[in-house]
Amino acid sequence: MDLGSEPPARSTQVGEEQTQTQLHFHLKRRIAHLHTLQEISCKLNSKLGLEDVLTSILDETIRAIGAERGCLLLANPATGDLEMRLTRHFHPPDLAGKSFRPSRTVIERVWCEEKPVLTANALEDPELAEADSVRNYVLRSILCVPLRLQGQKIGVLYLDNRLKAGQFQKDDLALAAAIADQAAIALHNAHLHQEAVDRAQKLMEVVQHVQSSNQISLKVQGLTDFPELFAVIGGELEQFGYHCAIALLNPDETCLEVRYVSFAGESGPDIPIPVDGVPCVSVAETTICRQVLATRQGRLVADLDEVMTELLRHPTNLACQSAFVAPLVANNRGIGLLILGLNRVHLEDPSLLMAFANQVATMIEMCRLHTQLQQRLAEIQSVLAITRALVSEVSLNNLLEFIMTQAEHLTNAEGAAVLLLDDDGRRLEVASPSEPWRHMKAGSGFPVQGSLAGLAIASQRVQISNQVEEDDRTASERAFLRSAELNSLLCAPLVAQSKSLGALLVWNKRERVFTSHDSRLMGLFADQAALALHNAWLYARNRQLAVEQERHRLAQELHDSVTQSLYSIALAAQTALKLLDQPDSGDKVRNPIEHILEFSQTALTEMREQLHNLYPTVLIDKGLIQALAEYCDELETQYTLSIKFMAGSEPPLSMVQRKTLYYIAREALWNVIKHAGATRIDVSLTTENGQVVLSVTDDGAGFDPLTVDREETIGLRSMEERTRLLGGIFELRSEPGHGTRVTSRIPIQAFER
């Protein structure tokens, strides 16, 4: 280190003693400077904070040199401009802080030439006297040295004294230069320390990110609502100064749906998301988003607004900041994007941000799986509830209506129909409840071969068509439904005990198209519906068998008890009449006995009629048409009525159906004889649209059906109940003075599957 030039040459005019004194003075001054330099060096080395180092450099240099004022300027690493960092004893009118520009000054000269400046009196220095700052501030003693580190200039140290000329000497310049060298090293160490602090801070931020991730993981456990999940993730990120957006791919992975946004625009409020639905953009219409999804690698973007404009399809006017766009990948499948807004205080380590994005993707996937699980459980509970309702319903009409209503509800569809196979299994026919359903007639249908429903029955799997008009498999269904706006179909096979019953047809889903979820749900429902239909038929058959057995028992008991009693009454009356033929009997006794005989014979006839109704063996022997024809002939002969019976061929009916129609015909005819006063009765048995139609019409007195209480009219109520029990429709038409018409329509389909 050079602390100054050699002592002044020994003058021949000065004595030896004076020379020794000067040498001693300079030596003492050099030693003092060395001690000062050592002291300052120790102080600087003990400081680590940048501001503390700056303060020590300037304060200690002013004290050591004996300056009145001083300032320290450092180069801006980004721009290279010289900026004021610290001043001492300058007043605001003199220097304006960091905005001060050392143009045409000593500082500018030292900075540009990288050489120190020392002047005893700047006002008399020809190179400095004309400077504005020298004249304006009456500067005299000035000392200014550059700060250099490893051959690069990093700043300027400036000292002056306005009151005293010659304040600074050459050895002061040497000391200032030495202090400047130590200051440069101390500043470098302070910068290194600051970098270490920044790294430690970044490491702490990493730890905080990990802790935040763990906190989010704990908070999202059990969440099944996506908006709530996104709100938790966004809230945790905002605590660390991050704003974010989350966009998820739709099921076919062609569109991105913006599900969450927490960025603020330049005016402050959050970016509005349209209330008419989730913002959705085609992946093909994006650039940055498409590239990130394709490469599955995060990307730092200089302008966040560019990314959000891609997603929202309109300018967002976001505050200027950079962003990190990360793919969300779960189970090796891309599910969406996470967009993080960044600023200068944030980490921009892509690996760390990607790790966080992966954790967010895992959370979303877990929420999705949990939601699916809850949905499946809800479906199972719903199916169980429906199953309980199906099992508890034994009325076939109510069951059919319940099945079709629930099918529409479960799939959010416009319509549904139960189609059952006919006896030979070649045709599907509508199984309609007693009341018309969706304007479809019972027995209408279409061939199994070549239909979508036929494919479902053959494969025993649910079949879906979401492009009905272009699907050749749906031609039969289109013709059957006759719907101009038919767009989607779902056919579920009805199978009970390994036997195909038919198919459940559902059409026109109100929202979008039928999905795999609908297929799975309707498969479960159709299995339960088929079992319920089978059970309902078994119940109806068992009930009918029980009724037949009870009728047989009653017929036997009535024959063994009541009939014998009535017969005894008639026999006794006949005996009494024979006794009365004797001469001593009077006519007064004869008349009551004759009435007894008449009533007993009538009661016996009616009892035999009822017994025949309870167990009509003629149906087994002769069939329905011949039994009705013989019965009409019998009544026509007995009561001198005109009874016309018209029928075609014997319809393919079960014994239960034949007995029901036989009973209804006899009951209707007997009512005409007892109450109508008719002279003509027309009876017909025809087959129409898969139904057997029995009609009994008379020209009797007629009546107003609205005035008749069917609960009190046992005959009418019995006919109606028997018709409905077989899934049929009972009609009664009558008008005073214009006769009566009774019609019973019973579907040929017996549901014996």
Side-chain angles (χ1 to χ4, degrees):
M1 178 188 67
D2 184 10
L3 290 179
S5 60
E6 292 295 325
R10 186 179 301 173
S11 176
T12 56
Q13 289 86 9
V14 180
E16 184 69 23
E17 185 176 334
Q18 184 179 2
T19 301
Q20 293 293 331
T21 301
Q22 290 178 350
L23 289 172
H24 182 70
F25 172 76
H26 283 292
L27 182 59
K28 288 181 63 177
R29 188 173 177 84
R30 289 180 183 180
I31 293 173
H33 283 179
L34 287 173
H35 284 298
T36 301
L37 180 61
Q38 182 181 13
E39 181 181 351
I40 293 174
S41 179
C42 291
K43 288 184 177 180
L44 292 179
N45 291 333
S46 66
K47 306 292 185 180
L48 294 177
L50 182 60
E51 297 300 325
D52 291 340
V53 171
L54 292 173
T55 300
S56 295
I57 291 172
L58 189 55
D59 290 347
E60 294 299 328
T61 305
I62 291 174
R63 180 183 61 80
I65 302 300
E68 175 194 3
R69 304 184 307 175
C71 64
L72 185 61
L73 300 93
L74 296 178
N76 186 317
T79 64
D81 294 336
L82 201 59
E83 294 180 351
M84 186 70 69
R85 293 299 302 269
L86 191 64
T87 65
R88 284 292 184 267
H89 312 307
F90 281 94
H91 298 292
D94 297 331
L95 293 174
K98 293 185 179 181
S99 64
F100 172 72
R101 292 292 181 268
S103 60
R104 298 185 304 276
T105 65
V106 174
I107 295 175
E108 182 183 40
R109 177 177 170 183
V110 172
W111 175 251
C112 295
E113 298 179 3
E114 297 187 43
K115 295 180 180 180
V117 170
L118 173 63
T119 179
N121 191 341
L123 293 173
E124 298 177 357
D125 191 326
E127 296 181 1
L128 301 175
E130 298 302 323
D132 292 339
S133 59
V134 172
R135 294 197 310 270
N136 293 338
Y137 300 124
V138 194
L139 300 180
R140 289 182 171 82
S141 298
I142 297 177
L143 191 156
C144 187
V145 294
L147 300 179
R148 288 188 295 268
L149 179 67
Q150 298 177 352
Q152 298 293 327
K153 60 182 181 180
I154 63 171
V156 173
L157 177 61
Y158 172 86
L159 303 172
D160 69 15
N161 192 310
R162 295 173 298 175
L163 303 177
K164 185 178 180 180
Q167 176 66 27
F168 308 130
Q169 303 298 322
K170 290 185 178 180
D171 55 353
D172 292 323
L173 177 60
L175 177 60
I179 293 175
D181 292 339
Q182 294 296 316
I185 296 173
L187 287 172
H188 180 64
N189 292 337
H191 282 297
L192 292 177
H193 176 263
Q194 187 62 45
E195 289 179 1
V197 171
D198 291 342
R199 289 179 181 177
Q201 185 176 359
K202 289 182 178 180
L203 290 176
M204 288 299 299
E205 190 171 347
V206 171
V207 173
Q208 290 176 344
H209 276 74
V210 174
Q211 292 175 346
S212 175
S213 298
N214 293 335
Q215 290 175 3
I216 295 175
S217 298
L218 292 174
K219 289 186 177 181
V220 301
Q221 287 182 359
L223 291 181
T224 59
D225 182 62
F226 275 113
E228 186 178 358
L229 172 69
F230 298 146
V232 171
I233 294 174
E236 289 295 323
L237 287 174
E238 288 179 11
Q239 291 185 5
F240 290 91
Y242 286 107
H243 290 278
C244 73
I246 298 174
L248 298 183
L249 286 168
N250 64 344
D252 58 7
E253 300 183 0
T254 59
C255 294
L256 280 167
E257 298 176 350
V258 182
R259 307 296 293 273
Y260 181 82
V261 175
S262 66
F263 295 116
E266 292 180 349
S267 59
D270 291 345
I271 299 172
I273 291 182
V275 297
D276 57 348
V278 177
C280 183
V281 60
S282 172
V283 175
E285 296 177 2
T286 65
T287 302
I288 299 173
C289 298
R290 185 179 70 252
Q291 292 174 355
V292 171
L293 288 170
T295 61
R296 294 191 181 181
Q297 294 180 355
R299 177 176 172 181
L300 287 169
V301 182
D303 189 0
L304 171 63
D305 185 69
E306 181 181 0
V307 182
M308 295 308 299
T309 300
E310 274 193 4
L311 289 174
L312 299 177
R313 311 307 296 169
H314 62 76
T316 55
N317 298 321
L318 287 169
C320 183
Q321 59 179 313
S322 59
F324 184 77
V325 183
L328 297 175
V329 181
N331 296 328
N332 200 31
R333 180 177 62 88
I335 62 173
L337 295 173
L338 173 66
I339 298 95
L340 292 173
L342 305 176
N343 55 49
R344 288 184 300 177
V345 301
H346 285 145
L347 286 172
E348 295 186 2
D349 184 357
S351 60
L352 179 64
L353 297 177
M354 277 299 301
F356 187 80
N358 290 336
Q359 188 167 8
V360 171
T362 301
M363 297 173 190
I364 294 174
E365 184 68 8
M366 290 177 61
C367 181
R368 185 184 66 82
L369 293 175
H370 193 274
T371 301
Q372 286 185 352
L373 178 60
Q374 293 297 324
Q375 188 177 30
R376 297 283 180 86
L377 291 175
E379 290 174 3
I380 293 174
Q381 292 176 351
S382 177
V383 172
L384 288 176
I386 293 173
T387 301
R388 287 193 292 268
L390 289 173
V391 173
S392 63
E393 182 59 66
V394 294
S395 170
L396 193 57
N397 289 330
N398 295 340
L399 180 61
L400 287 170
E401 186 170 348
F402 180 81
I403 290 173
M404 290 184 280
T405 301
Q406 290 300 317
E408 292 176 0
H409 172 72
L410 289 174
T411 57
N412 194 23
E414 292 182 1
V418 174
L419 303 173
L420 297 179
L421 291 168
D422 61 5
D423 292 333
D424 58 10
R426 296 182 180 180
R427 181 177 174 81
L428 284 166
E429 298 178 347
V430 174
S432 176
S434 57
E435 298 298 328
W437 178 263
R438 303 295 184 194
H439 308 290
M440 292 184 295
K441 295 182 179 180
S444 60
F446 51 86
V448 175
Q449 185 68 29
S451 66
L452 188 67
L455 179 60
I457 294 172
S459 64
Q460 294 195 358
R461 296 171 61 93
V462 176
Q463 300 294 326
I464 291 176
S465 176
N466 289 317
Q467 294 180 339
V468 176
E469 296 299 329
E470 292 79 19
D471 194 341
D472 294 337
R473 302 173 303 168
T474 64
S476 297
E477 285 82 359
R478 293 199 304 270
F480 167 67
L481 293 173
R482 301 184 183 90
S483 174
E485 299 179 356
L486 194 63
N487 52 61
S488 56
L489 279 174
L490 183 148
C491 296
L494 296 172
V495 181
Q497 296 184 351
S498 302
K499 189 173 183 180
S500 295
L501 306 184
L504 177 59
L505 181 64
V506 186
W507 61 88
N508 283 3
K509 187 174 178 68
R510 291 186 174 90
E511 295 179 0
R512 300 182 181 177
V513 296
F514 289 115
T515 63
S516 58
H517 167 73
D518 296 316
S519 175
R520 182 180 62 256
L521 185 59
M522 289 309 297
L524 293 173
F525 176 72
D527 290 341
Q528 301 302 317
L531 184 60
L533 285 171
H534 183 69
N535 291 339
W537 175 80
L538 290 178
Y539 176 83
R541 187 177 68 173
N542 291 337
R543 181 180 178 184
Q544 192 64 41
L545 289 175
V547 170
E548 293 300 324
Q549 291 175 356
E550 182 64 14
R551 287 177 178 175
H552 184 68
R553 184 187 65 81
L554 289 174
Q556 188 66 39
E557 290 183 357
L558 290 173
H559 180 272
D560 295 341
S561 57
V562 180
T563 304
Q564 298 298 329
S565 299
L566 292 175
Y567 182 76
S568 298
I569 293 174
L571 185 60
Q574 289 176 355
T575 303
L577 288 174
K578 290 179 180 180
L579 294 175
L580 288 175
D581 289 337
Q582 298 177 4
D584 55 348
S585 298
D587 292 336
K588 294 182 179 179
V589 181
R590 176 179 294 274
N591 291 335
I593 293 177
E594 288 178 347
H595 285 299
I596 291 174
L597 177 60
E598 181 182 355
F599 290 148
S600 62
Q601 288 176 340
T602 301
L604 183 60
T605 301
E606 291 182 351
M607 181 57 65
R608 287 174 177 169
E609 179 73 17
Q610 294 300 323
L611 290 175
H612 187 73
N613 289 340
L614 285 172
Y615 198 70
T617 57
V618 67
L619 291 176
I620 301 175
D621 300 332
K622 299 180 180 181
L624 177 61
I625 292 179
Q626 186 174 351
L628 287 177
E630 291 180 357
Y631 186 70
C632 289
D633 291 341
E634 180 182 341
L635 292 180
E636 187 176 28
T637 301
Q638 183 176 355
Y639 293 99
T640 63
L641 288 172
S642 174
I643 302 178
K644 301 298 182 182
F645 176 67
M646 180 180 65
S649 59
E650 184 79 18
L653 299 175
S654 66
M655 179 56 66
V656 173
Q657 291 171 317
R658 292 200 297 268
K659 290 178 181 179
T660 298
L661 290 173
Y662 185 68
Y663 167 82
I664 293 172
R666 290 171 64 92
E667 180 67 24
L669 288 169
W670 191 248
N671 285 341
V672 173
I673 293 171
K674 289 193 296 183
H675 306 295
T679 61
R680 178 184 175 86
I681 304 176
D682 293 323
V683 181
S684 66
L685 184 69
T686 60
T687 302
E688 299 175 3
N689 298 324
Q691 294 179 326
V692 175
V693 182
L694 171 66
S695 177
V696 179
T697 307
D698 68 77
D699 62 352
F703 60 94
D704 185 358
L706 297 178
T707 62
V708 176
D709 187 356
R710 295 196 182 185
E711 294 298 326
E712 299 295 332
T713 309
I714 298 176
L716 288 176
R717 185 179 65 185
S718 178
M719 287 188 289
E720 184 174 4
E721 287 179 352
R722 288 171 181 261
T723 300
R724 291 186 179 276
L725 184 62
L726 295 182
I729 301 174
F730 179 79
E731 298 176 357
L732 172 65
R733 296 182 180 179
S734 183
E735 185 178 349
H738 293 82
T740 302
R741 179 184 180 90
V742 172
T743 305
S744 176
R745 301 175 183 271
I746 295 178
I748 297 176
Q749 182 68 47
F751 300 100
E752 296 186 29
R753 299 286 181 262

mmCIF file of all heavy atoms in Angstrom, residues 690-709:
data_model
loop_
_atom_site.group_PDB
_atom_site.id
_atom_site.type_symbol
_atom_site.label_atom_id
_atom_site.label_comp_id
_atom_site.label_asym_id
_atom_site.label_seq_id
_atom_site.Cartn_x
_atom_site.Cartn_y
_atom_site.Cartn_z
ATOM 1 N N GLY A 690 -104.160 -55.797 -29.482
ATOM 2 C CA GLY A 690 -103.574 -56.543 -28.381
ATOM 3 C C GLY A 690 -104.453 -56.626 -27.150
ATOM 4 O O GLY A 690 -103.975 -57.008 -26.075
ATOM 5 N N GLN A 691 -105.735 -56.280 -27.277
ATOM 6 C CA GLN A 691 -106.666 -56.325 -26.157
ATOM 7 C C GLN A 691 -107.897 -57.145 -26.533
ATOM 8 O O GLN A 691 -108.324 -57.156 -27.694
ATOM 9 C CB GLN A 691 -107.101 -54.912 -25.750
ATOM 10 C CG GLN A 691 -105.997 -54.043 -25.183
ATOM 11 C CD GLN A 691 -106.523 -52.667 -24.836
ATOM 12 O OE1 GLN A 691 -107.404 -52.127 -25.507
ATOM 13 N NE2 GLN A 691 -105.985 -52.106 -23.754
ATOM 14 N N VAL A 692 -108.476 -57.777 -25.520
ATOM 15 C CA VAL A 692 -109.764 -58.446 -25.681
ATOM 16 C C VAL A 692 -110.828 -57.505 -25.131
ATOM 17 O O VAL A 692 -110.728 -57.050 -23.983
ATOM 18 C CB VAL A 692 -109.796 -59.794 -24.945
ATOM 19 C CG1 VAL A 692 -111.198 -60.403 -25.020
ATOM 20 C CG2 VAL A 692 -108.782 -60.737 -25.554
ATOM 21 N N VAL A 693 -111.826 -57.198 -25.955
ATOM 22 C CA VAL A 693 -112.858 -56.237 -25.576
ATOM 23 C C VAL A 693 -114.190 -56.971 -25.433
ATOM 24 O O VAL A 693 -114.710 -57.543 -26.407
ATOM 25 C CB VAL A 693 -112.975 -55.112 -26.612
ATOM 26 C CG1 VAL A 693 -114.038 -54.104 -26.166
ATOM 27 C CG2 VAL A 693 -111.631 -54.429 -26.826
ATOM 28 N N LEU A 694 -114.754 -56.956 -24.221
ATOM 29 C CA LEU A 694 -116.075 -57.529 -23.942
ATOM 30 C C LEU A 694 -117.061 -56.385 -23.787
ATOM 31 O O LEU A 694 -116.829 -55.470 -22.981
ATOM 32 C CB LEU A 694 -116.037 -58.369 -22.664
ATOM 33 C CG LEU A 694 -117.390 -58.849 -22.143
ATOM 34 C CD1 LEU A 694 -118.020 -59.846 -23.124
ATOM 35 C CD2 LEU A 694 -117.258 -59.471 -20.760
ATOM 36 N N SER A 695 -118.151 -56.439 -24.526
ATOM 37 C CA SER A 695 -119.139 -55.367 -24.489
ATOM 38 C C SER A 695 -120.529 -55.957 -24.311
ATOM 39 O O SER A 695 -120.900 -56.918 -25.003
ATOM 40 C CB SER A 695 -119.075 -54.544 -25.778
ATOM 41 O OG SER A 695 -120.081 -53.549 -25.782
ATOM 42 N N VAL A 696 -121.328 -55.393 -23.371
ATOM 43 C CA VAL A 696 -122.718 -55.799 -23.121
ATOM 44 C C VAL A 696 -123.574 -54.546 -23.215
ATOM 45 O O VAL A 696 -123.422 -53.622 -22.393
ATOM 46 C CB VAL A 696 -122.874 -56.474 -21.748
ATOM 47 C CG1 VAL A 696 -124.337 -56.850 -21.512
ATOM 48 C CG2 VAL A 696 -121.972 -57.696 -21.641
ATOM 49 N N THR A 697 -124.497 -54.506 -24.215
ATOM 50 C CA THR A 697 -125.319 -53.321 -24.459
ATOM 51 C C THR A 697 -126.792 -53.712 -24.414
ATOM 52 O O THR A 697 -127.188 -54.738 -24.999
ATOM 53 C CB THR A 697 -124.989 -52.710 -25.835
ATOM 54 O OG1 THR A 697 -123.589 -52.479 -25.921
ATOM 55 C CG2 THR A 697 -125.745 -51.404 -26.044
ATOM 56 N N ASP A 698 -127.610 -52.877 -23.737
ATOM 57 C CA ASP A 698 -129.051 -53.164 -23.659
ATOM 58 C C ASP A 698 -129.839 -51.931 -24.048
ATOM 59 O O ASP A 698 -129.304 -50.817 -24.074
ATOM 60 C CB ASP A 698 -129.430 -53.625 -22.249
ATOM 61 C CG ASP A 698 -129.296 -52.525 -21.219
ATOM 62 O OD1 ASP A 698 -130.169 -51.642 -21.149
ATOM 63 O OD2 ASP A 698 -128.274 -52.543 -20.463
ATOM 64 N N ASP A 699 -131.149 -52.119 -24.337
ATOM 65 C CA ASP A 699 -132.037 -51.006 -24.692
ATOM 66 C C ASP A 699 -133.002 -50.700 -23.556
ATOM 67 O O ASP A 699 -134.121 -50.243 -23.788
ATOM 68 C CB ASP A 699 -132.806 -51.329 -25.970
ATOM 69 C CG ASP A 699 -133.701 -52.554 -25.804
ATOM 70 O OD1 ASP A 699 -133.596 -53.239 -24.746
ATOM 71 O OD2 ASP A 699 -134.502 -52.827 -26.717
ATOM 72 N N GLY A 700 -132.539 -50.920 -22.343
ATOM 73 C CA GLY A 700 -133.412 -50.746 -21.189
ATOM 74 C C GLY A 700 -133.556 -49.312 -20.741
ATOM 75 O O GLY A 700 -133.295 -48.364 -21.499
ATOM 76 N N ALA A 701 -133.954 -49.155 -19.464
ATOM 77 C CA ALA A 701 -134.289 -47.845 -18.917
ATOM 78 C C ALA A 701 -133.076 -46.933 -18.803
ATOM 79 O O ALA A 701 -133.193 -45.712 -18.921
ATOM 80 C CB ALA A 701 -134.947 -48.006 -17.541
ATOM 81 N N GLY A 702 -131.901 -47.492 -18.564
ATOM 82 C CA GLY A 702 -130.710 -46.666 -18.387
ATOM 83 C C GLY A 702 -130.729 -45.897 -17.078
ATOM 84 O O GLY A 702 -131.716 -45.907 -16.327
ATOM 85 N N PHE A 703 -129.660 -45.167 -16.809
ATOM 86 C CA PHE A 703 -129.562 -44.386 -15.569
ATOM 87 C C PHE A 703 -128.416 -43.386 -15.727
ATOM 88 O O PHE A 703 -127.659 -43.408 -16.706
ATOM 89 C CB PHE A 703 -129.323 -45.291 -14.362
ATOM 90 C CG PHE A 703 -128.059 -46.098 -14.448
ATOM 91 C CD1 PHE A 703 -126.873 -45.644 -13.874
ATOM 92 C CD2 PHE A 703 -128.045 -47.320 -15.118
ATOM 93 C CE1 PHE A 703 -125.724 -46.381 -13.958
ATOM 94 C CE2 PHE A 703 -126.886 -48.063 -15.205
ATOM 95 C CZ PHE A 703 -125.708 -47.603 -14.626
ATOM 96 N N ASP A 704 -128.284 -42.499 -14.755
ATOM 97 C CA ASP A 704 -127.211 -41.501 -14.747
ATOM 98 C C ASP A 704 -126.043 -42.045 -13.920
ATOM 99 O O ASP A 704 -126.159 -42.184 -12.697
ATOM 100 C CB ASP A 704 -127.706 -40.188 -14.145
ATOM 101 C CG ASP A 704 -126.654 -39.084 -14.236
ATOM 102 O OD1 ASP A 704 -125.531 -39.367 -14.731
ATOM 103 O OD2 ASP A 704 -126.935 -37.950 -13.807
ATOM 104 N N PRO A 705 -124.910 -42.367 -14.542
ATOM 105 C CA PRO A 705 -123.792 -42.960 -13.785
ATOM 106 C C PRO A 705 -123.276 -42.067 -12.670
ATOM 107 O O PRO A 705 -122.738 -42.554 -11.679
ATOM 108 C CB PRO A 705 -122.718 -43.171 -14.866
ATOM 109 C CG PRO A 705 -123.474 -43.255 -16.143
ATOM 110 C CD PRO A 705 -124.629 -42.316 -15.987
ATOM 111 N N LEU A 706 -123.463 -40.733 -12.829
ATOM 112 C CA LEU A 706 -122.950 -39.829 -11.802
ATOM 113 C C LEU A 706 -123.728 -39.929 -10.500
ATOM 114 O O LEU A 706 -123.233 -39.531 -9.444
ATOM 115 C CB LEU A 706 -122.989 -38.387 -12.320
ATOM 116 C CG LEU A 706 -122.104 -38.090 -13.546
ATOM 117 C CD1 LEU A 706 -122.281 -36.641 -13.986
ATOM 118 C CD2 LEU A 706 -120.648 -38.378 -13.233
ATOM 119 N N THR A 707 -124.954 -40.442 -10.585
ATOM 120 C CA THR A 707 -125.780 -40.549 -9.376
ATOM 121 C C THR A 707 -125.615 -41.888 -8.677
ATOM 122 O O THR A 707 -126.234 -42.132 -7.645
ATOM 123 C CB THR A 707 -127.257 -40.348 -9.742
ATOM 124 O OG1 THR A 707 -127.666 -41.383 -10.637
ATOM 125 C CG2 THR A 707 -127.463 -38.990 -10.412
ATOM 126 N N VAL A 708 -124.779 -42.743 -9.254
ATOM 127 C CA VAL A 708 -124.609 -44.094 -8.702
ATOM 128 C C VAL A 708 -123.338 -44.136 -7.864
ATOM 129 O O VAL A 708 -122.264 -43.730 -8.323
ATOM 130 C CB VAL A 708 -124.539 -45.146 -9.826
ATOM 131 C CG1 VAL A 708 -124.253 -46.525 -9.243
ATOM 132 C CG2 VAL A 708 -125.843 -45.158 -10.610
ATOM 133 N N ASP A 709 -123.446 -44.575 -6.641
ATOM 134 C CA ASP A 709 -122.295 -44.773 -5.760
ATOM 135 C C ASP A 709 -121.769 -46.188 -5.989
ATOM 136 O O ASP A 709 -122.388 -47.170 -5.585
ATOM 137 C CB ASP A 709 -122.701 -44.577 -4.300
ATOM 138 C CG ASP A 709 -121.490 -44.615 -3.377
ATOM 139 O OD1 ASP A 709 -120.368 -44.876 -3.873
ATOM 140 O OD2 ASP A 709 -121.662 -44.394 -2.157
#
